């Protein structure tokens, strides 16, 4: 089997070239051909010696992911479904805005964390993506968009968010080389502040990321206390809020930004009450004595039938945001984009084979939860809205 060069960061590619008896500058040339120019075959690499190209033909390949579908929304959002083999698929979404182009990419086929409100979590875990499969999403999207938008070779994607399918910090060994390629000036040259890892709170890996490859960090909070968070994000039982917030504080010493972004998915009658907002403000402002420098991003819940949950009404989301803003915490409400093509957070369903029977487990959690959530959500559930 030949080596897929998309799997390597520049160091890895230099080691691969050394194994072929080639100097480091050759690795840099090759790396630039692949990531900056989107080359797919060695024949295109005209400034490499013919002998090297022949060596590469025999030992290496540049293999992206087959595209199963591509959907373009009326607002310019584009969603791709990629085949990762064995019946599994993952999704990526491009979100154009006036001043930036953001690509949301996946790190795993499925996810083992099993959050109550997440459609990926409901599918169970299939497997980790390789570094090459994580990067293939960016490699394909960047070069497709350059051609599609006719930019004359100008970069299109300015921001990458690891907010697609999967928990990136449970796929750490593939995540880090992929991030390095995104940041490398010979690769995509993205600023550390514009590459965001989003995590449900894998505490030890937050520390390692701070050491190995600090980028912007988003933490999916979703609840102001352990009792509720245990039910929404099962990983909280292993790494409760106090430990998670300690890790956030430590991360800030390394982070390229001086704040952590907390994501909070607004679930009607579950975590969106005025007392939740007050408790949340107290939690982050008092933690460790000095509080945590943070911003909040409130995400309107994207409903899917199996969740049994409902999106919070807009007024309640605004009231929640006002409580946090009034307490001095910068809070924004995420715009939903690509709604017509199901491209919003948590709808990146892909098509992962459920090998863990996670749906049954989540259904059990749900039964427990519904006994305890406020009456409002219970009633909606009963009405089936
Ligand atoms: N596993 C990581 C990153 C992928 S999920 C994490 O959990 O952070 C990216 C974001 O989408 C997370 O904040 C997640 O909580 C949110 N999300 C998941 N399902 C959602 C849904 N149905 N509606 C709105 N946001 C959702
Ligand atoms: Fe996994 Fe994130 Fe979905 Fe939770 S929200 S199940 S961690 S992808």
């Amino acid at each position: 089997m030949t080596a897929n060069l998309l799997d390597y960061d520049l160091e890895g590619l230099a080691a691969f070239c050394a194994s072929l008896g080639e100097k480091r500058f050759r690795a840099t040339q090759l790396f630039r051909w692949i990531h900056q120019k989107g080359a797919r075959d060695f024949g295109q690499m005209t400034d490499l010696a013919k002998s090297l190209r022949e060596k590469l033909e025999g030992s290496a390949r540049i293999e992206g992911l087959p595209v199963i579908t591509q959907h373009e929304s009326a607002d310019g959002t584009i969603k791709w479904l990629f085949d990762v083999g064995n019946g599994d698929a993952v999704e990526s979404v491009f979100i154009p805005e006036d001043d930036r182009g953001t690509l949301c990419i996946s790190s795993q086929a499925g996810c083992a964390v099993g959050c109550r409100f997440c459609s990926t979590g409901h599918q169970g875990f299939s497997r980790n993506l390789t570094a090459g499969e994580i990067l293939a999403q960016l490699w394909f999207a960047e070069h497709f968009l350059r051609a599609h938008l006719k930019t004359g070779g100008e970069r299109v994607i300015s921001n990458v968010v690891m907010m697609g399918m999967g928990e990136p910090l449970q796929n750490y060994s593939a995540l880090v080389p992929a991030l390095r390629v995104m940041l490398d000036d010979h690769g995509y040259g993205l600023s550390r502040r514009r590459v965001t890892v989003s995590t449900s709170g894998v505490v030890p890996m937050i520390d390692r990321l701070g050491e190995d490859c600090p980028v912007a960090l988003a933490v999916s909070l979703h609840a102001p206390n352990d009792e509720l968070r245990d039910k929404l994000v099962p990983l909280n039982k292993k790494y409760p809020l106090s430990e998670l917030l300690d890790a956030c504080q430590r991360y800030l010493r390394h982070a390229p930004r001086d704040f952590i972004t907390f994501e909070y998915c607004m679930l009607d009658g579950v975590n969106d009450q005025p007392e939740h907002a007050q408790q949340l403000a107290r939690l982050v402002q008092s933690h460790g004595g000095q509080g945590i420098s943070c911003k909040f991003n409130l995400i309107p819940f994207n409903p899917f039938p199996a969740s049994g949950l409902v999106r919070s009404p807009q007024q309640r989301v605004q009231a929640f945001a006002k409580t946090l803003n009034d307490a001095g915490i910068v809070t924004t409400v995420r715009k939903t984009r690509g709604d017509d093509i199901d491209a919003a957070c948590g709808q990146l369903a892909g098509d992962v084979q459920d090998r863990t029977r996670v749906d049954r487990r989540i259904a059990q959690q749900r039964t427990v939860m519904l006994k305890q959530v406020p009456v409002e959500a219970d009633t909606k559930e009963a009405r089936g809205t």
Side-chain angles (χ1 to χ4, degrees):
M1 188 71 169
T2 55
N4 185 4
L5 300 188
L6 284 182
D7 273 320
Y8 296 131
D9 59 12
L10 188 52
E11 285 310 307
L13 196 58
F16 177 77
C17 285
S19 76
L20 299 179
E22 294 291 335
K23 298 227 168 62
R24 190 188 169 91
F25 83 95
R26 291 290 180 208
T28 308
Q29 274 180 307
L30 194 49
F31 196 74
R32 292 171 68 99
W33 269 111
I34 298 169
H35 296 292
Q36 295 193 340
K37 298 185 191 153
R40 285 159 189 271
D41 57 73
F42 303 117
Q44 288 172 267
M45 305 180 182
T46 43
D47 57 354
L48 298 187
K50 195 148 179 277
S51 60
L52 171 58
R53 281 188 267 156
E54 277 165 8
K55 250 195 270 184
L56 287 168
E57 298 285 359
S59 57
R61 66 190 197 284
I62 305 163
E63 189 183 353
L65 292 171
V67 177
I68 302 172
T69 56
Q70 170 179 317
H71 290 110
E72 190 162 351
S73 157
D75 67 14
T77 303
I78 305 181
K79 178 174 82 163
W80 294 279
L81 182 66
F82 292 101
D83 185 359
V84 294
N86 212 15
D88 290 333
V90 299
E91 284 176 322
S92 315
V93 181
F94 172 66
I95 306 146
E97 284 172 280
D98 291 344
D99 57 343
R100 72 186 97 167
T102 303
L103 188 71
C104 173
I105 62 184
S106 298
S107 55
Q108 300 179 311
C111 182
V113 178
C115 298
R116 273 276 282 112
F117 48 84
C118 172
S119 121
T120 307
H122 275 248
Q123 294 169 63
F125 176 66
S126 195
R127 71 170 175 85
N128 278 328
L129 299 189
T130 61
E133 288 168 331
I134 296 175
L135 280 168
Q137 300 167 62
L138 173 59
W139 178 71
F140 173 83
E142 174 65 35
H143 297 291
F144 168 83
L145 290 166
R146 278 189 207 177
H148 182 67
L149 303 174
K150 301 193 179 67
T151 67
E154 281 289 299
R155 196 167 77 181
V156 182
I157 295 167
S158 58
N159 296 55
V160 170
V161 293
M162 301 296 305
M163 293 185 187
M165 299 168 73
E167 170 46 59
L169 294 186
Q170 287 188 339
N171 185 12
Y172 192 78
S173 59
L175 174 71
V176 169
L179 293 177
R180 290 199 172 120
V181 176
M182 294 174 200
L183 301 175
D184 202 309
D185 283 341
H186 298 296
Y188 297 87
L190 299 178
S191 140
R192 286 183 188 277
R193 300 153 63 89
R194 290 169 171 265
V195 174
T196 302
V197 168
S198 174
T199 181
S200 56
V202 192
V203 165
M205 295 301 161
I206 293 177
D207 286 318
R208 281 189 61 188
L209 188 69
E211 299 285 336
D212 295 341
C213 191
V215 291
L217 186 69
V219 172
S220 296
L221 220 47
H222 310 310
N225 59 62
D226 284 323
E227 197 195 352
L228 183 55
R229 196 164 189 272
D230 280 351
K231 289 171 196 142
L232 296 174
V233 184
L235 193 66
N236 194 67
K237 294 187 197 124
K238 193 161 180 193
Y239 304 115
L241 279 168
S242 64
E243 285 180 36
L244 177 56
L245 297 182
D246 280 348
C248 290
Q249 239 153 11
R250 290 191 296 274
Y251 192 83
L252 282 170
R253 288 184 218 137
H254 307 275
R257 288 184 179 273
D258 57 5
F259 60 89
I260 303 281
T261 302
F262 288 126
E263 295 161 278
Y264 197 98
C265 178
M266 298 293 290
L267 303 165
D268 185 16
V270 176
N271 64 356
D272 64 347
Q273 302 298 303
E275 57 271 23
H276 292 129
Q278 286 149 11
Q279 203 182 1
L280 204 52
R282 275 198 304 277
L283 177 76
V284 298
Q285 290 187 320
S286 67
H287 188 78
Q290 79 274 35
I292 297 180
S293 166
C294 63
K295 292 187 181 174
F296 267 86
N297 195 212
L298 305 182
I299 316 175
F301 170 59
N302 290 300
F304 58 100
S307 72
L309 296 163
V310 176
R311 179 184 285 192
S312 302
Q314 214 182 342
Q315 264 179 329
R316 201 163 323 132
V317 179
Q318 292 306 338
F320 201 94
K322 184 170 186 311
T323 304
L324 293 176
N325 273 317
D326 288 350
I329 305 169
V330 175
T331 303
T332 49
V333 178
R334 186 174 296 173
K335 273 187 279 175
T336 53
R337 297 285 306 263
D339 267 353
D340 52 337
I341 55 165
D342 280 353
C345 278
Q347 299 217 324
L348 303 187
D351 186 14
V352 172
Q353 297 185 354
D354 183 0
R355 298 199 178 88
T356 58
R357 301 278 141 240
V358 76
D359 245 350
R360 204 181 299 155
R361 202 179 74 219
I362 288 178
Q364 280 162 0
Q365 281 172 16
R366 183 172 144 199
T367 321
V368 176
M369 214 176 124
L370 288 174
K371 287 193 194 125
Q372 294 164 7
V373 293
V375 180
E376 205 181 344
D378 249 334
T379 336
K380 287 219 168 73
E381 175 72 12
R383 286 203 310 265
T385 52

